[in-house]
Amino acid sequence: MRALHSPVNVAGGPGAISAGLRALGVESTLLVFNERPFERGFDVNLELRDTSRLSSVPFNLPKQLRALRWALPRFDVFHFHAGLTLAPRRLTLPLLRSRKKGVVFQSWGSDLRRRRASEVGYLEQADAVIVGSYLTRRLAPRGRWPEYDVVHPAIVLDDWEPAPAEPRDVMRVAHAPSKRAVKGTESVIGAVESLRARGAPIELDLIEGIPNREARRRYAAAPFAKGSCEKV
């Protein structure tokens, strides 16, 4: 089997899945639109311009179409992440279905949670839909697409070493939001400030917009790490 993961490497998760598949004997490739400043890794990088800007389309679209043409004969399964496809969905998905390719969509949270079914109708063209938690499954819309499979986020343990920290007078909390509003960063900041106002020896290390290697160094220096805060 030949699988293509694309087009983003969210928190390194798709890359870890692809690496795990290769360890099992699957020919798996990770293609990304761009590397971003986080340096999460890839096999193929299209080096697209900012995909959130309409002005980037004339530059990006030809690259995307060439990549789709390159991928079609080379892969049996197309595993898309975060609701994105290699080229625009209205072109990519019908083409893959006509070629009898396997199509998988994997959600990484906010691309599916609390969305209306009409916003994610493209899932009807999927053979499988994966979510990373039972919370996401509970908050995701239902429609005429496959039932959600829960597969918890992957991590390559070989890339990490234990980092025991010496006791300090001040408790350091590390928080690394990709999007502050989504990750509840203001609540984290407010909680730390509230504790400090009451005399608690605590500090917050807010980790944003830096390469992965630097972020990991700062994680290791903090005995406590806070993920996201979300009302459920």
Side-chain angles (χ1 to χ4, degrees):
M1 181 187 295
R2 302 166 301 171
L4 178 68
H5 287 262
S6 70
V8 289
N9 192 12
V10 183
I17 296 169
S18 187
L21 288 173
R22 286 196 295 271
L24 294 173
V26 176
E27 184 180 324
S28 184
T29 299
L30 173 64
L31 179 151
V32 299
F33 281 162
N34 48 54
E35 171 66 326
R36 302 181 177 185
F38 303 117
E39 298 181 1
R40 291 165 171 161
F42 58 88
D43 298 311
V44 179
N45 185 357
L46 297 186
E47 299 183 351
L48 300 189
R49 295 178 181 173
D50 187 347
T51 54
S52 66
R53 294 179 178 273
L54 190 60
S55 60
S56 299
V57 171
F59 176 84
N60 290 344
L61 186 57
K63 283 191 170 187
Q64 292 173 262
L65 295 176
R66 285 195 296 270
L68 181 58
R69 181 180 178 182
W70 165 82
L72 272 174
R74 288 176 169 82
F75 299 98
D76 308 302
V77 176
F78 287 72
H79 190 137
F80 297 118
H81 296 271
L84 302 172
T85 52
L86 191 51
R89 286 193 293 256
R90 63 182 180 275
L91 171 64
T92 302
L93 295 177
L95 181 58
L96 295 181
R97 303 311 299 176
S98 70
R99 299 291 184 91
K100 301 188 184 312
K101 303 293 185 177
V103 175
V104 178
F105 276 97
Q106 182 160 356
S107 166
W108 291 87
S110 60
D111 57 284
L112 189 58
R113 283 198 302 263
R114 294 195 172 94
R115 296 294 182 102
R116 296 187 300 273
S118 59
E119 295 180 274
V120 294
Y122 57 86
L123 295 178
E124 294 180 11
Q125 300 189 61
D127 296 296
V129 183
I130 297 171
V131 296
S133 69
Y134 289 98
L135 172 63
T136 297
R137 187 174 72 175
R138 178 161 64 85
L139 297 178
R142 263 48 183 185
R144 294 181 298 176
W145 49 79
E147 182 59 38
Y148 301 116
D149 291 312
V150 178
V151 179
H152 295 291
I155 183 171
V156 180
L157 294 177
D158 292 344
D159 292 344
W160 297 84
E161 294 290 340
E166 293 294 327
R168 302 172 67 245
D169 293 333
V170 177
M171 168 69 78
R172 176 177 293 174
V173 177
H175 176 56
S178 52
K179 295 180 181 179
R180 287 194 177 199
V182 173
K183 300 300 182 181
T185 299
E186 296 309 312
S187 295
V188 175
I189 293 172
V192 171
E193 290 179 346
S194 176
L195 289 169
R196 292 185 65 182
R198 286 185 278 173
I202 188 171
E203 63 183 10
L204 176 64
D205 184 10
L206 196 56
I207 303 171
E208 297 177 290
I210 60 174
N212 181 266
R213 61 179 181 277
E214 173 63 15
R216 288 172 57 164
R217 184 189 67 78
R218 288 165 62 177
Y219 298 154
F224 185 79
K226 182 69 191 81
S228 61
C229 298
E230 182 177 3
K231 293 180 181 179
V232 297

PDB file of all heavy atoms in Angstrom, residues 216-228:
ATOM      1  N   ARG A 216      10.956  22.694  22.339  1.00  0.00           N
ATOM      2  CA  ARG A 216      11.219  21.490  23.128  1.00  0.00           C
ATOM      3  C   ARG A 216      12.217  21.751  24.240  1.00  0.00           C
ATOM      4  O   ARG A 216      12.098  21.189  25.339  1.00  0.00           O
ATOM      5  CB  ARG A 216      11.715  20.371  22.203  1.00  0.00           C
ATOM      6  CG  ARG A 216      10.603  19.833  21.322  1.00  0.00           C
ATOM      7  CD  ARG A 216      11.091  18.874  20.283  1.00  0.00           C
ATOM      8  NE  ARG A 216      11.794  17.736  20.852  1.00  0.00           N
ATOM      9  CZ  ARG A 216      12.049  16.625  20.167  1.00  0.00           C
ATOM     10  NH1 ARG A 216      11.643  16.507  18.911  1.00  0.00           N
ATOM     11  NH2 ARG A 216      12.684  15.626  20.716  1.00  0.00           N
ATOM     12  N   ARG A 217      13.185  22.609  24.001  1.00  0.00           N
ATOM     13  CA  ARG A 217      14.132  22.959  25.061  1.00  0.00           C
ATOM     14  C   ARG A 217      13.405  23.645  26.222  1.00  0.00           C
ATOM     15  O   ARG A 217      13.685  23.371  27.396  1.00  0.00           O
ATOM     16  CB  ARG A 217      15.225  23.884  24.503  1.00  0.00           C
ATOM     17  CG  ARG A 217      16.318  24.217  25.504  1.00  0.00           C
ATOM     18  CD  ARG A 217      17.243  25.294  24.976  1.00  0.00           C
ATOM     19  NE  ARG A 217      16.551  26.571  24.846  1.00  0.00           N
ATOM     20  CZ  ARG A 217      16.277  27.386  25.870  1.00  0.00           C
ATOM     21  NH1 ARG A 217      16.620  27.040  27.110  1.00  0.00           N
ATOM     22  NH2 ARG A 217      15.670  28.530  25.671  1.00  0.00           N
ATOM     23  N   ARG A 218      12.457  24.505  25.898  1.00  0.00           N
ATOM     24  CA  ARG A 218      11.715  25.205  26.943  1.00  0.00           C
ATOM     25  C   ARG A 218      10.698  24.305  27.643  1.00  0.00           C
ATOM     26  O   ARG A 218      10.441  24.459  28.835  1.00  0.00           O
ATOM     27  CB  ARG A 218      11.060  26.451  26.362  1.00  0.00           C
ATOM     28  CG  ARG A 218      12.100  27.541  26.066  1.00  0.00           C
ATOM     29  CD  ARG A 218      11.612  28.641  25.186  1.00  0.00           C
ATOM     30  NE  ARG A 218      10.495  29.398  25.744  1.00  0.00           N
ATOM     31  CZ  ARG A 218       9.950  30.460  25.140  1.00  0.00           C
ATOM     32  NH1 ARG A 218      10.437  30.859  23.961  1.00  0.00           N
ATOM     33  NH2 ARG A 218       8.952  31.104  25.689  1.00  0.00           N
ATOM     34  N   TYR A 219      10.132  23.331  26.906  1.00  0.00           N
ATOM     35  CA  TYR A 219       9.283  22.347  27.581  1.00  0.00           C
ATOM     36  C   TYR A 219      10.076  21.620  28.666  1.00  0.00           C
ATOM     37  O   TYR A 219       9.585  21.374  29.768  1.00  0.00           O
ATOM     38  CB  TYR A 219       8.772  21.294  26.596  1.00  0.00           C
ATOM     39  CG  TYR A 219       7.899  21.774  25.473  1.00  0.00           C
ATOM     40  CD1 TYR A 219       7.837  21.063  24.276  1.00  0.00           C
ATOM     41  CD2 TYR A 219       7.126  22.925  25.590  1.00  0.00           C
ATOM     42  CE1 TYR A 219       7.035  21.471  23.229  1.00  0.00           C
ATOM     43  CE2 TYR A 219       6.320  23.355  24.545  1.00  0.00           C
ATOM     44  CZ  TYR A 219       6.283  22.634  23.368  1.00  0.00           C
ATOM     45  OH  TYR A 219       5.502  23.045  22.322  1.00  0.00           O
ATOM     46  N   ALA A 220      11.306  21.249  28.323  1.00  0.00           N
ATOM     47  CA  ALA A 220      12.129  20.472  29.245  1.00  0.00           C
ATOM     48  C   ALA A 220      12.455  21.247  30.513  1.00  0.00           C
ATOM     49  O   ALA A 220      12.696  20.650  31.566  1.00  0.00           O
ATOM     50  CB  ALA A 220      13.422  20.035  28.550  1.00  0.00           C
ATOM     51  N   ALA A 221      12.460  22.581  30.419  1.00  0.00           N
ATOM     52  CA  ALA A 221      12.798  23.414  31.579  1.00  0.00           C
ATOM     53  C   ALA A 221      11.594  23.676  32.475  1.00  0.00           C
ATOM     54  O   ALA A 221      11.737  24.281  33.539  1.00  0.00           O
ATOM     55  CB  ALA A 221      13.387  24.744  31.103  1.00  0.00           C
ATOM     56  N   ALA A 222      10.426  23.226  32.056  1.00  0.00           N
ATOM     57  CA  ALA A 222       9.206  23.479  32.832  1.00  0.00           C
ATOM     58  C   ALA A 222       8.666  22.162  33.382  1.00  0.00           C
ATOM     59  O   ALA A 222       8.394  21.242  32.617  1.00  0.00           O
ATOM     60  CB  ALA A 222       8.153  24.150  31.958  1.00  0.00           C
ATOM     61  N   PRO A 223       8.495  22.057  34.706  1.00  0.00           N
ATOM     62  CA  PRO A 223       7.970  20.807  35.273  1.00  0.00           C
ATOM     63  C   PRO A 223       6.484  20.595  35.017  1.00  0.00           C
ATOM     64  O   PRO A 223       5.968  19.501  35.211  1.00  0.00           O
ATOM     65  CB  PRO A 223       8.231  20.964  36.774  1.00  0.00           C
ATOM     66  CG  PRO A 223       8.294  22.443  36.990  1.00  0.00           C
ATOM     67  CD  PRO A 223       8.878  23.020  35.741  1.00  0.00           C
ATOM     68  N   PHE A 224       5.792  21.652  34.551  1.00  0.00           N
ATOM     69  CA  PHE A 224       4.352  21.535  34.318  1.00  0.00           C
ATOM     70  C   PHE A 224       4.024  22.185  32.982  1.00  0.00           C
ATOM     71  O   PHE A 224       4.447  23.305  32.711  1.00  0.00           O
ATOM     72  CB  PHE A 224       3.573  22.247  35.439  1.00  0.00           C
ATOM     73  CG  PHE A 224       2.078  22.078  35.338  1.00  0.00           C
ATOM     74  CD1 PHE A 224       1.465  20.917  35.758  1.00  0.00           C
ATOM     75  CD2 PHE A 224       1.295  23.092  34.820  1.00  0.00           C
ATOM     76  CE1 PHE A 224       0.082  20.765  35.663  1.00  0.00           C
ATOM     77  CE2 PHE A 224      -0.071  22.946  34.707  1.00  0.00           C
ATOM     78  CZ  PHE A 224      -0.687  21.771  35.133  1.00  0.00           C
ATOM     79  N   ALA A 225       3.276  21.458  32.144  1.00  0.00           N
ATOM     80  CA  ALA A 225       2.880  21.985  30.835  1.00  0.00           C
ATOM     81  C   ALA A 225       1.365  22.003  30.766  1.00  0.00           C
ATOM     82  O   ALA A 225       0.695  21.040  31.158  1.00  0.00           O
ATOM     83  CB  ALA A 225       3.448  21.134  29.722  1.00  0.00           C
ATOM     84  N   LYS A 226       0.809  23.099  30.248  1.00  0.00           N
ATOM     85  CA  LYS A 226      -0.642  23.244  30.116  1.00  0.00           C
ATOM     86  C   LYS A 226      -1.009  23.250  28.647  1.00  0.00           C
ATOM     87  O   LYS A 226      -0.463  24.027  27.869  1.00  0.00           O
ATOM     88  CB  LYS A 226      -1.123  24.541  30.772  1.00  0.00           C
ATOM     89  CG  LYS A 226      -2.646  24.706  30.693  1.00  0.00           C
ATOM     90  CD  LYS A 226      -3.336  23.679  31.572  1.00  0.00           C
ATOM     91  CE  LYS A 226      -4.831  23.646  31.301  1.00  0.00           C
ATOM     92  NZ  LYS A 226      -5.149  22.846  30.106  1.00  0.00           N
ATOM     93  N   GLY A 227      -1.940  22.391  28.264  1.00  0.00           N
ATOM     94  CA  GLY A 227      -2.402  22.355  26.897  1.00  0.00           C
ATOM     95  C   GLY A 227      -3.471  23.400  26.657  1.00  0.00           C
ATOM     96  O   GLY A 227      -3.258  24.586  26.904  1.00  0.00           O
ATOM     97  N   SER A 228      -4.641  22.976  26.213  1.00  0.00           N
ATOM     98  CA  SER A 228      -5.698  23.940  25.892  1.00  0.00           C
ATOM     99  C   SER A 228      -6.773  23.935  26.975  1.00  0.00           C
ATOM    100  O   SER A 228      -6.940  22.967  27.713  1.00  0.00           O
ATOM    101  CB  SER A 228      -6.313  23.601  24.534  1.00  0.00           C
ATOM    102  OG  SER A 228      -6.894  22.320  24.572  1.00  0.00           O
TER     103      SER A 228
END
